[in-house]
């Protein structure tokens, strides 16, 4: 049988100030901060995870806040646009909400769907789209109630240096179904009900540069560790180099750079964010992997505090 990912597990972006990032995604967009931890590869900085009430795969947007680091450039080799799904009938609420925060947005129609397009404070391109599929988030925060709250990812638009090769990989290796073509975009779909639509922009945008305000990588779902090893062999058989498995505490990860220069990750659904703190208290405390616990005091003193209060 053809191997198929269920779709997007998480998307990780580089941003500037962590509190500004938390204010925007937590308080304006109403996502739940489900994990406050450090970047395991750069432990002096945060890694923040936002999602639905429990941070289900397909709902998780994560950030490396790099403070005053250099600004990146959105372009080929990156996720260019991240799309969030909201319940049917919720776009009116979001128009009013964005206006209320003086956030400019643009209405666009794509593949027959109306979307609201806007940028986050660091310049990341975001969109909201209504989708009937997918469970409503039960997280109720800062005036964003479950009937209008972001459910998770609607999908992502990939800016590739080689649209044909990226499209081929999505279809033949990742097992997504090609479902449409419009205005220079190829659309793919997975079997999941969230994080399931991926567009590939066929036009070249100019090469992207990683830095503040750009997406670092996109992760696809693997059912478990065995499935992930299966993916590793499957992708290597296609001729791409894949990293060894890395323990990210809340999932295991493997990485590879695809032919269109995007950094892809395959992440396991388990164990999830309740692995080290109770669901009721997700995101409240700085959580550290075991090997960094001995440095907790130093890390807590050096990282700027993040407050997550309702507006
Ligand atoms: Zn990742």
């Amino acid at each position: 049988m053809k191997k198929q990912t269920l779709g997007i597990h998480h998307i990780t972006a580089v941003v500037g100030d962590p509190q500004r990032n938390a204010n925007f995604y937590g308080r304006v967009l109403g996502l739940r901060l489900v994990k406050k931890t450090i970047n395991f590869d750069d432990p002096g900085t945060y890694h923040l995870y936002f999602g639905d009430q429990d941070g289900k795969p397909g709902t998780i947007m994560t950030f490396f806040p790099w403070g005053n680091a250099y600004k990146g450039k959105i372009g080929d080799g990156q996720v260019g646009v991240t799309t969030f799904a909201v319940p049917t009938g919720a776009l009116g609420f979001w128009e009013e909400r964005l206006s209320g925060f003086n956030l400019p947005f643009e209405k666009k129609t794509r593949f027959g769907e109306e979307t609201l397009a806007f940028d986050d404070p660091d310049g990341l391109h975001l969109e909201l789209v209504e989708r009937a599929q997918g469970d409503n988030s039960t997280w109720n925060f800062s005036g964003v109630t479950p009937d209008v709250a972001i459910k998770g990812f609607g999908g992502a638009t990939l800016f590739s240096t080689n649209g044909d090769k990226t499209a081929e990989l999505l279809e033949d290796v990742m097992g997504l179904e090609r479902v449409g073509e419009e205005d220079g975009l190829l659309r793919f779909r997975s079997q999941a009900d969230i994080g399931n639509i991926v567009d590939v922009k066929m036009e070249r945008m100019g090469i992207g540069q990683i830095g503040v305000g750009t997406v670092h990588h996109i992760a696809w779902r693997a059912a478990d560790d065995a499935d992930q090893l299966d993916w590793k062999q499957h992708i290597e058989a296609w001729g791409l180099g894949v990293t060894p498995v890395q323990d990210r505490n809340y999932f295991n990860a493997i990485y590879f750079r695809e032919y269109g220069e995007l950094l892809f990750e395959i992440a396991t659904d388990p164990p999830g964010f309740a692995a080290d703190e109770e669901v009721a208290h997700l995101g409240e405390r700085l959580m550290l992997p075991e090997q960094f616990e001995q440095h907790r005091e130093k890390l807590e003193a050096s990282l700027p505090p993040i407050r997550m209060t309702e507006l």
Side-chain angles (χ1 to χ4, degrees), residues 9-12 47 49 62 64 216-219 248 251 253 255 265 267:
H9 183 284
H10 65 267
I11 293 175
T12 296
H47 192 177
Y49 292 79
T62 102
F64 298 141
H216 188 271
H217 64 268
I218 181 168
R248 298 309 191 190
F251 46 85
Y255 303 85
E265 173 184 342

Side-chain angles (χ1 to χ4, degrees), residues 5-11 49 57-58 60 174 217-225 227-228 231 235 245-246 248 250-256 264-271:
T5 177
L6 277 176
I8 301 169
H9 183 284
H10 65 267
I11 293 175
Y49 292 79
I60 315 154
M174 304 310 295
H217 64 268
I218 181 168
W220 308 95
R221 293 172 64 182
D224 52 29
D225 290 341
D227 187 37
Q228 183 177 56
W231 274 110
I235 294 157
V245 175
Q246 293 175 43
R248 298 309 191 190
Y250 312 107
F251 46 85
N252 280 333
I254 54 174
Y255 303 85
F256 64 100
F264 277 11
E265 173 184 342
I266 308 262
T268 53
D269 280 4

Side-chain angles (χ1 to χ4, degrees), residues 222-262:
D224 52 29
D225 290 341
D227 187 37
Q228 183 177 56
L229 289 176
D230 212 33
W231 274 110
K232 184 167 156 62
Q233 288 178 357
H234 179 62
I235 294 157
E236 282 170 345
W238 196 261
L240 289 162
V242 182
T243 67
V245 175
Q246 293 175 43
D247 180 355
R248 298 309 191 190
N249 251 19
Y250 312 107
F251 46 85
N252 280 333
I254 54 174
Y255 303 85
F256 64 100
R257 200 166 288 278
E258 55 85 52
Y259 296 112
E261 301 296 328
L262 280 110

